[in-house]
Amino acid sequence: DYPELERRNQMYEDIMNKPALDVEDVQNWLGIGRDQAYALCKSGKFHTVKIGRRIKIPTNGFMRWFNGQ
């Protein structure tokens, strides 16, 4: 059994089933801190949408950035 691999696979599945991610999703996926995740989302490296005080990240755009496309 490989619990860490299973956890990562489940996280990937969960993320790919969402049309848009929260900053917390980005934080968990990359294994970074909250402040780093917010800074990354505000960096302009990928498209974000601000709704009131919330930041949403389209999943496809984030994954393209993550995969270097």
Side-chain angles (χ1 to χ4, degrees):
D1 245 353
Y2 299 96
E4 180 61 22
L5 181 60
E6 290 174 12
R7 186 184 72 77
R8 291 295 285 182
N9 285 342
Q10 185 62 52
M11 185 186 306
Y12 177 80
E13 217 174 279
D14 292 346
I15 282 177
M16 294 311 292
N17 285 327
K18 292 182 174 185
L21 306 174
D22 295 311
V23 175
E24 184 178 358
D25 294 320
V26 171
Q27 176 185 349
N28 292 334
W29 179 255
L30 298 176
I32 60 177
R34 183 174 180 263
D35 291 345
Q36 287 177 302
Y38 274 98
L40 180 61
C41 289
K42 292 177 182 179
S43 72
K45 293 182 184 285
F46 46 82
H47 180 66
T48 61
V49 178
K50 192 156 183 181
I51 303 169
R53 296 183 63 198
R54 298 189 70 175
I55 298 173
K56 300 298 270 185
I57 304 100
T59 304
N60 289 337
F62 174 75
M63 293 309 287
R64 278 194 303 275
W65 169 80
F66 180 76
N67 291 316
Q69 297 176 355

